[in-house]
Amino acid sequence: MDLTNLNKDRKNNRRKGSLDLSTMVYGKVPPQAKDLEEAVLGAIMLEKSAFDTVIEILKPECFYLDANQRIYRAMQSLQQKNQPIDILTVVEELKSKVELEMVGGPYYVTRLTNAVVSSANIEAHSRIILQKFIQRELIRISGEIISDSYEDSTDVFDLLDEAESKLFEITNNHLRKNFDSIDSVLVKTVQRIEDMRHRTEDITGVPSGFPSLDKVTYGWQPSDLIILAARPAVGKTAFALNLVRNAALSSKQVPVAFFSLEMSSAQLVQRVLSAESEIWLEKISRGKMEEHEMKQLYAKGIQKLAQAPIYIDDTAALNVFELRAKARRLKNKHNIGMIIIDYLQLMSGGGGKNVNREQEISTISRNLKTLAKELMIPIIALSQLSRAVETRKEGNKMPQLSDLRESGAIEQDADMVMFIYRPEYYDITSNEMGESNKGETHVRIAKHRNGSLETIKLRAQLHIQKFVEMEEDDFGGLGGGGGSWRPVPTDGGGGGAQGQDGGGAKLYIQAGSKMNDMPFGDDDDSPF
């Protein structure tokens, strides 16, 4: 036998083995703590209160040995029946499930109590078992990701989302927050109250840009899920984009993420540009602008918005797990302060085929509320309303909570529910006084967990995709839905203040392009 060649072969095999990832991963014994598993199960059978400590930390799948998983499930079953947990009851429960022999018979169950003297360290032992389980899960998930990464047909972004979702599942299911004592919470609460006392402004959250709305909400609050609902073509997307623009361009410059499941990012940007530059959306969409309008678009729109911290995702058919993964990345990378989703009914819950739509919407709304709490930011989700609004008698078309489409869970999970209502949508062209209500928009707060229920009136200027306060738009009827008006300096004598002539009369000009002399047609009413 050639010993030299044999040694060479051994070296080559060792070298190959060191480079073979499958050998490195699967050639090792998975992380486990069998002795501690036995000690925990034994302690539960020795002391009645021990199970209450363990059940908050461990699930049956956390145990490495199948026998230990079955015994722990039997203990869970006994607890649900309000029966004591000891050697005899556990053995009987396993017998009833025809699992006693699978775990090693009465001998194995009895032997567990010999592995421990008391339950003094049961919490520490349980957490070690949990750590070993998480390590095994990470190895399993990593192996699946490695396998999928070698597939040429795998989309790398889908793979990233899937990896993040699986990792979050471990965190969400097994690393739960513990109780807070009231004294520790009181310290945080008092500190927050002191901070708010010394604030010079009333807004404590993300500003909406509408003072009348901010008076009620004090800004969109962290961890809140806000539902913004309306019938189709009322102006939900336009209003939501106003909220995005106002937050990002405010003095706080809040980074905002906008998830659009209905429209492309290019269409959304056109709308934001229209609102910011006050040039008709129709002209921007068709590219039919004159030279002075292009200058206005660059000066008032493009240059201002280019620096705005707005992040748009127009992925169609986005499911809630993908949204969660993307939101976390945006929070880590850009520290986003608000998320807006357009709109909730277009999302999928990522559930199985047998899940009905109501259950799916419930899953989505619950996950959105959980995400808002996790990231500590407000999430505004747009929602459609059912046709029940249309069937009600004339003059009673204001939406109600029962009109939320497809699931009562939306109303239940939301911290705030707002409805947008425009009388013109139902061909109501004047109010009780006979005055024109062109563009009048009611934002009704129908549910507010931390505040009052009120209705705020705004003016919709949907030809430029903009909403303004009623007072800003109504100067003796000049507004007419055709743009905002503002005071300007004049050359009047008498040393009058800015915006006044010598006699004290204010002069107003309309902001926006020279298109304002165009007659208002059907396009003015279109919600785009």
Side-chain angles (χ1 to χ4, degrees):
M1 182 181 290
D2 190 345
L3 292 176
T4 306
N5 291 333
L6 183 61
N7 288 331
K8 280 184 180 178
D9 289 339
R10 285 177 178 169
K11 285 180 181 177
N12 288 334
N13 287 335
R14 280 201 299 271
R15 193 176 293 114
K16 285 178 183 176
S18 67
L19 296 174
D20 187 353
L21 189 59
S22 63
T23 303
M24 291 171 64
V25 175
Y26 301 111
K28 295 181 179 179
V29 177
Q32 55 190 282
K34 288 189 283 187
D35 292 342
L36 292 179
E37 289 181 12
E38 292 177 4
V40 165
L41 294 174
I44 292 171
M45 289 188 284
L46 285 177
E47 295 190 25
K48 188 170 80 171
S49 61
F51 189 75
D52 295 332
T53 303
V54 176
I55 199 168
E56 290 184 3
I57 302 169
L58 297 178
K59 294 183 177 181
E61 60 267 24
C62 295
F63 291 86
Y64 180 68
L65 292 180
D66 179 68
N68 293 343
Q69 290 184 16
R70 293 177 187 275
I71 292 170
Y72 190 70
R73 284 196 188 95
M75 291 174 172
Q76 283 184 323
S77 181
L78 287 168
Q79 194 226 22
Q80 288 167 7
K81 297 174 187 175
N82 290 321
Q83 292 183 12
I85 302 171
D86 56 34
I87 294 173
L88 296 176
T89 55
V90 170
V91 168
E92 287 302 317
E93 184 66 25
L94 289 167
K95 271 185 188 177
S96 68
K97 294 177 180 288
V98 197
E99 292 183 348
L100 184 58
E101 295 308 317
M102 294 180 188
V103 304
Y107 170 75
Y108 181 74
V109 178
T110 305
R111 190 172 65 82
L112 291 174
T113 55
N114 296 326
V116 67
V117 177
S118 74
S119 64
N121 301 315
I122 194 168
E123 184 175 350
H125 293 166
S126 298
R127 295 202 181 278
I128 293 171
I129 294 169
L130 178 61
Q131 288 171 20
K132 299 298 181 186
F133 167 72
I134 291 173
Q135 284 178 276
R136 293 197 300 272
E137 284 294 282
L138 289 172
I139 291 169
R140 179 183 64 81
I141 291 168
S142 301
E144 290 174 2
I145 294 167
I146 290 168
S147 177
D148 291 340
S149 298
Y150 277 109
E151 296 292 333
D152 292 335
S153 58
T154 304
D155 184 279
V156 67
F157 298 106
D158 288 343
L159 187 60
L160 280 171
D161 287 336
E162 186 183 354
E164 282 194 87
S165 296
K166 287 179 177 178
L167 290 172
F168 174 75
E169 205 171 317
I170 295 174
T171 306
N172 196 42
N173 293 339
H174 300 286
L175 298 178
R176 297 187 178 275
K177 189 175 181 287
N178 211 338
F179 294 106
D180 286 327
S181 61
I182 192 167
D183 58 337
S184 64
V185 179
L186 278 170
V187 171
K188 295 176 187 175
T189 305
V190 170
Q191 186 177 0
R192 185 169 182 270
I193 292 169
E194 287 290 342
D195 289 343
M196 289 191 290
R197 277 188 65 222
H198 294 97
R199 282 176 182 264
T200 55
E201 55 184 13
D202 292 332
I203 299 173
T204 59
V206 178
S208 70
F210 302 104
S212 56
L213 185 57
D214 285 334
K215 276 183 184 177
V216 182
T217 64
Y218 300 102
W220 312 120
Q221 299 299 317
S223 82
D224 276 5
L225 173 61
I226 300 120
I227 300 296
L228 176 63
R231 289 292 293 150
V234 169
K236 291 189 300 296
T237 303
F239 186 70
L241 287 172
N242 274 233
L243 299 180
V244 171
R245 186 173 58 90
N246 293 343
L249 296 177
S250 69
S251 58
K252 294 185 177 183
Q253 289 192 314
V254 180
V256 184
F258 192 96
F259 290 89
S260 174
L261 288 84
E262 188 175 32
M263 299 172 60
S264 70
S265 55
Q267 290 173 317
L268 293 171
V269 170
Q270 285 177 1
R271 289 171 174 237
V272 179
L273 278 173
S274 176
E276 192 60 37
S277 64
E278 299 187 334
I279 296 175
W280 282 31
L281 176 61
E282 186 178 0
K283 284 209 162 192
I284 293 175
S285 300
R286 295 179 182 178
K288 302 294 184 183
M289 287 181 288
E290 297 179 19
E291 189 62 33
H292 68 273
E293 291 166 344
M294 281 302 299
K295 289 179 180 177
Q296 181 173 319
L297 186 70
Y298 275 101
K300 292 186 66 178
I302 294 172
Q303 288 184 6
K304 199 171 180 182
L305 289 170
Q307 305 302 319
I310 299 173
Y311 306 94
I312 299 173
D313 185 298
D314 60 359
T315 306
L318 189 69
N319 69 49
V320 70
F321 305 112
E322 292 170 340
L323 179 134
R324 204 163 54 187
K326 291 181 178 187
R328 279 197 216 95
R329 288 205 298 272
L330 283 166
K331 180 67 175 176
N332 292 332
K333 190 174 181 180
H334 301 291
N335 194 29
I336 55 168
M338 183 167 72
I339 291 174
I340 297 182
I341 301 158
D342 184 17
Y343 59 90
L344 193 145
Q345 279 80 12
L346 289 179
M347 290 186 70
S348 64
K353 294 180 181 178
N354 298 324
V355 178
N356 64 41
R357 186 58 180 161
E358 185 176 347
Q359 291 172 327
E360 194 171 25
I361 291 293
S362 299
T363 301
I364 293 167
S365 65
R366 191 163 50 249
N367 274 277
L368 291 179
K369 175 57 185 173
T370 304
L371 182 63
K373 283 184 68 179
E374 179 195 339
L375 301 182
M376 282 304 292
I377 60 173
I379 294 180
I380 301 176
L382 277 58
S383 176
Q384 291 283 21
L385 293 176
S386 67
R387 289 192 177 91
V389 184
E390 314 296 341
T391 60
R392 288 202 287 271
K393 63 182 180 181
E394 198 68 33
N396 187 27
K397 302 293 187 180
M398 178 68 80
Q400 302 171 4
L401 287 172
S402 58
D403 297 326
L404 285 169
R405 189 172 146 193
E406 290 182 312
S407 178
I410 299 174
E411 173 190 346
Q412 178 183 321
D413 294 325
D415 296 279
M416 186 186 298
V417 179
M418 298 189 300
F419 296 115
I420 301 179
Y421 166 75
R422 284 196 300 120
E424 324 174 58
Y425 184 82
Y426 297 102
D427 296 324
I428 303 171
T429 56
S430 59
N431 58 22
E432 297 83 356
M433 306 294 292
E435 300 168 337
S436 172
N437 57 10
K438 185 174 179 62
E440 184 178 304
T441 303
H442 300 221
V443 179
R444 181 190 170 215
I445 301 176
K447 178 187 177 182
H448 192 187
R449 204 165 263 164
N450 303 305
S452 59
L453 307 181
E454 295 190 29
T455 299
I456 291 94
K457 287 187 179 181
L458 302 174
R459 177 78 70 189
Q461 301 171 350
L462 293 178
H463 61 291
I464 58 170
Q465 295 292 285
K466 194 171 185 178
F467 287 81
V468 297
E469 294 278 354
M470 291 286 282
E471 294 79 7
E472 290 179 26
D473 197 50
D474 290 345
F475 293 108
L478 292 172
S484 59
W485 295 75
R486 65 172 186 268
V488 295
T490 66
D491 294 329
Q498 181 175 341
Q500 288 183 300
D501 61 14
K506 284 189 177 180
L507 175 66
Y508 291 91
I509 66 165
Q510 192 171 14
S513 71
K514 295 180 181 178
M515 293 182 290
N516 296 324
D517 57 353
M518 296 175 65
F520 291 114
D522 293 337
D523 290 335
D524 182 43
D525 295 326
S526 65
F528 295 101

